[in-house]
Amino acid sequence: PPELRAPPAAPLEAALLGESGHLLERPMGRYCSDVDAPTTYSPTRREPWHSALSLTLDDQAEETSMAVVDLQAEFFVPLERATEALRAVWAASAGWAFGSPPTSAERVKGLVDAMEFRQVKGDKAWLSPAPVDSLGIHVSFNADLAVRDEVMAAVPALEAALAPFGARFHWGKLSCLRAARVAELYGEGLEQFRSLCDDHDREGKFRNDHVSELLWRRAAPEC
C-alpha cells in the first residue's frame, strides 16, 4: 500500500560518491549472454541484496567474463586492520604467478586468475564471517589440475599470513578449516548455533561429514 512505502532515499550518487566521481548508468550486457540476442540491465539502482546483481568490472568499467573456472578463497579481516592485512597478503603472494585476463589476445595461465578486495558491513549473525565492518580478501586460483598442488599450498600460506588479524574464512570457499579454530573464532555464537540445531535437528539430518567435523568438535582433516 502507498502508505507503507518508504520515503524516497537520497540520490544514489550522493549516498555512494559524495561530491566526486560518477556512477555507471548505461546498460550493461549480462554474463554469458547470447551475442546474437544480448540481454542487458542497468547497474545503477537500489535493490534488496537478494535481487540486486553484483558486478565485476575491469579498468574500463566493462563487465568481465565469469566463464573462467577457478577455485576461490576469501578471508575477512576487521576494516581497521586492512592496511596491515594487505601488506601481509602482498608478502605471502610474492611468488605467485598471475594469469592474463580472459579477454587478452594471448592467454597466459598462472596460479592466480584474479584478486578482489571489498568492504563488507559487519553484522551480528552467530556464524558471520564479518562480525564488524571488514575487508574481504578474495583470490581466484587457477582450477587447472596441473597447478592444483600449488593452489593447495598457497591457501594455508594465505591463511597463516592473515591469522594475526583474526581473519575469518568464507564458509563456501577454500580454506584449511579445523574444528578448534572454528570454536576459537566463533565462541558463543557457535554454541548458540549448535544449540539451535540440536533443538530442531537432533539426528543431524541436515548435516554432512564436513559440517559435523567443523561445528560439532570432531577433528577436521589437515590440508
Side-chain angles (χ1 to χ4, degrees), residues 124-127 183 185-195:
K124 301 303 180 184
W126 293 336
L127 299 185
L185 287 171
Y186 291 93
E188 183 180 350
L190 178 59
E191 293 297 335
Q192 290 176 295
F193 179 78
R194 287 172 175 157
S195 178

Side-chain angles (χ1 to χ4, degrees), residues 37-114:
T39 57
T40 62
Y41 66 97
S42 173
T44 303
R45 57 182 181 161
R46 290 179 182 271
E47 294 286 347
W49 66 268
H50 53 79
S51 63
L53 182 64
S54 298
L55 301 179
T56 302
L57 302 176
D58 63 16
D59 292 338
Q60 286 72 47
E62 295 291 344
E63 188 178 13
T64 61
S65 170
M66 296 297 287
V68 176
V69 177
D70 54 31
L71 298 172
Q72 300 184 358
E74 186 167 10
F75 301 91
F76 301 86
V77 298
L79 197 56
E80 63 185 17
R81 305 202 67 184
T83 300
E84 300 169 86
L86 287 174
R87 287 179 177 143
V89 170
W90 181 264
S93 63
W96 296 355
F98 285 75
S100 59
T103 53
S104 298
E106 295 185 12
R107 187 80 170 97
V108 177
K109 289 188 176 182
L111 178 65
V112 176
D113 288 327

Side-chain angles (χ1 to χ4, degrees), residues 1 18 45 51 54 64 69 74 80 82 87-88 102 105 115 118 147 150 167 174 184 196 199 211:
R45 57 182 181 161
S51 63
S54 298
T64 61
V69 177
E74 186 167 10
E80 63 185 17
R87 287 179 177 143
M115 297 184 74
R118 39 186 163 256
V147 296
E150 292 181 66
L174 289 177
E184 178 183 348
L196 182 67
D199 286 344
V211 171

Side-chain angles (χ1 to χ4, degrees), residues 194 197-209 211-212 216 218:
R194 287 172 175 157
C197 291
D198 289 341
D199 286 344
H200 295 279
D201 183 27
R202 294 180 183 276
E203 298 181 4
K205 295 291 187 182
F206 291 94
R207 304 175 204 168
N208 58 19
D209 290 344
V211 171
S212 294
W216 271 266
R218 287 170 51 192

